[in-house]
Amino acid sequence: MLTDVGLRGAVVIVTGGGSGIGAATARQLGTMGAPAVLVGRREALLKEVAGQIAADGGEALCVTADLADLARYGRIDGLVNNAAVMRHMPLREWDVGRFDEHLATNVRAPFFLIQAALPALLDSPVRSVVNISSSSGTLRRVGQSVYGMTKAALDYLTQTLAGELAPLGVRVNSIAPGPIDTPIHATWAEDLAEAYRWLGSQVPLGRIGAPEEVAAWITLLLSPLASFMTGAVIPLDGGQVIDRE
C-alpha cells in the first residue's frame, strides 16, 4: 500500500468508480487525502464507495449524470478513465447496438473526457491522465474481437495524446491489466467459478490479480513520482501476454 505520493488535496475523476478497479482506486486516493469524483451509472454503488472513503477520513463526490457537477471542488488534477464494457461473442452474434456500445464506452468516452478535462488540468500542477486498458488489447483472443479492438485503440490513443499534450505538461499513461477480480467478468461468463479457474490458468504467476494491486499503480502514475513518465502502456497481468510456446 502506498502512503504519501504527493497527491494530498488533488481532485481526481475516476470513471467506473462504483466497483472493481475504480472503487479500489478511489479508496486508495482517499487514504492519501486526494478527493475522488466517482463517476458511474449506478448511484447506490457510488454512494457505498463514497461512504467507505468518508469512514476512513477521505472525501468523495458522486456524479451519476455527467461531469458538469464539479463546483464542490472547482478543479480537476487527474483523470482515471476506468469505465468499460466487455462482451465476448462470436462474429455472428454481434449487432450494431452492442458494437457501438463498446466503442462509445471504451474509446469515445475516454477521448472526450480528456478533451473536456484539459482546461482544468492545465491549471493543475499534477496534470495526469491514466487510462485503463487491458491485456486483451495485446492478445489476439478468439471471441474478443470487439473488446480487444477497443482496448488496442485505447493504447494507441494513450500514446498519441501523450505526444500531443506533453508540451503542455500533461502526462497520459495507461495500465493494461490482465485478469483482475472484478464484477466485469460476470457480464460475459456463464459459470463464474469456471471462468476464474480458466483466467488463472492463463497467467504465468498462477493467479488473477486484485483491484488494489491495480489501484496502487494508478495512484503512482497520477502522482509526481511518475513526473517523467508519459506515453507508457504498462502490462500488469502476471505475465499473461508472454508467449510461453
Side-chain angles (χ1 to χ4, degrees), residues 42-104:
R42 294 169 291 182
E43 184 176 12
L45 290 179
L46 295 178
K47 287 184 175 180
E48 181 180 349
V49 175
Q52 294 167 351
I53 293 170
D56 289 335
E59 293 184 59
L61 170 68
C62 300
V63 179
T64 55
D66 55 44
L67 297 180
D69 186 18
L70 293 177
R72 173 169 165 181
Y73 297 116
R75 58 188 289 182
I76 301 172
D77 297 286
L79 171 61
V80 179
N81 283 310
N82 169 70
V85 294
M86 175 196 293
R87 301 286 187 276
H88 299 334
M89 297 183 294
L91 174 64
R92 65 179 178 276
E93 295 182 13
W94 282 91
D95 56 40
V96 171
R98 286 176 172 173
F99 184 94
D100 287 349
E101 178 191 22
H102 276 67
L103 288 179

Side-chain angles (χ1 to χ4, degrees), residues 114-135:
I114 295 171
Q115 182 191 68
L118 183 59
L121 288 173
L122 292 177
D123 289 333
S124 167
V126 178
R127 301 185 185 185
S128 182
V129 175
V130 180
N131 297 320
I132 307 306
S133 182
S134 169
S135 58

Side-chain angles (χ1 to χ4, degrees), residues 120 164 206 244:
E164 178 180 340
R244 292 183 285 168

Side-chain angles (χ1 to χ4, degrees), residues 15 41 67 79 81-85 96-117 131-132 146 149-155 157-158 161:
T15 70
R41 299 175 181 177
L67 297 180
L79 171 61
N81 283 310
N82 169 70
V85 294
V96 171
R98 286 176 172 173
F99 184 94
D100 287 349
E101 178 191 22
H102 276 67
L103 288 179
T105 305
N106 298 355
V107 182
R108 186 178 72 191
F111 181 88
F112 286 105
L113 283 174
I114 295 171
Q115 182 191 68
N131 297 320
I132 307 306
V146 176
M149 173 191 66
T150 63
K151 292 304 185 178
L154 187 60
D155 292 345
L157 183 66
T158 295
L161 288 184

Side-chain angles (χ1 to χ4, degrees), residues 1-244:
M1 178 71 70
L2 298 172
T3 53
D4 185 359
V5 294
L7 288 174
R8 184 166 299 279
V11 176
V12 180
I13 296 172
V14 182
T15 70
S19 64
I21 293 171
T25 300
R27 289 192 294 265
Q28 172 101 59
L29 290 168
T31 65
M32 299 180 182
V37 179
L38 307 177
V39 181
R41 299 175 181 177
R42 294 169 291 182
E43 184 176 12
L45 290 179
L46 295 178
K47 287 184 175 180
E48 181 180 349
V49 175
Q52 294 167 351
I53 293 170
D56 289 335
E59 293 184 59
L61 170 68
C62 300
V63 179
T64 55
D66 55 44
L67 297 180
D69 186 18
L70 293 177
R72 173 169 165 181
Y73 297 116
R75 58 188 289 182
I76 301 172
D77 297 286
L79 171 61
V80 179
N81 283 310
N82 169 70
V85 294
M86 175 196 293
R87 301 286 187 276
H88 299 334
M89 297 183 294
L91 174 64
R92 65 179 178 276
E93 295 182 13
W94 282 91
D95 56 40
V96 171
R98 286 176 172 173
F99 184 94
D100 287 349
E101 178 191 22
H102 276 67
L103 288 179
T105 305
N106 298 355
V107 182
R108 186 178 72 191
F111 181 88
F112 286 105
L113 283 174
I114 295 171
Q115 182 191 68
L118 183 59
L121 288 173
L122 292 177
D123 289 333
S124 167
V126 178
R127 301 185 185 185
S128 182
V129 175
V130 180
N131 297 320
I132 307 306
S133 182
S134 169
S135 58
S136 293
T138 299
L139 299 167
R140 301 296 182 256
R141 298 288 195 197
V142 172
Q144 296 188 16
S145 56
V146 176
Y147 177 72
M149 173 191 66
T150 63
K151 292 304 185 178
L154 187 60
D155 292 345
Y156 187 94
L157 183 66
T158 295
Q159 294 181 320
T160 55
L161 288 184
E164 178 180 340
L165 301 180
L168 301 176
V170 177
R171 298 183 297 108
V172 185
N173 292 290
S174 175
I175 296 173
I180 305 296
D181 185 10
T182 72
I184 198 169
H185 298 298
T187 65
W188 63 268
E190 295 182 2
D191 184 335
L192 198 56
E194 172 59 23
Y196 272 43
R197 185 207 63 77
W198 177 78
L199 288 169
S201 73
Q202 307 300 306
V203 179
L205 287 181
R207 66 175 179 87
I208 64 174
E212 291 76 16
E213 292 177 288
V214 185
W217 279 94
I218 294 171
T219 305
L220 179 63
L221 288 176
L222 286 169
S223 80
L225 294 178
S227 63
F228 199 54
M229 177 175 285
T230 194
V233 178
I234 299 175
L236 189 60
D237 59 12
Q240 185 188 23
V241 300
I242 297 171
D243 184 357
R244 292 183 285 168

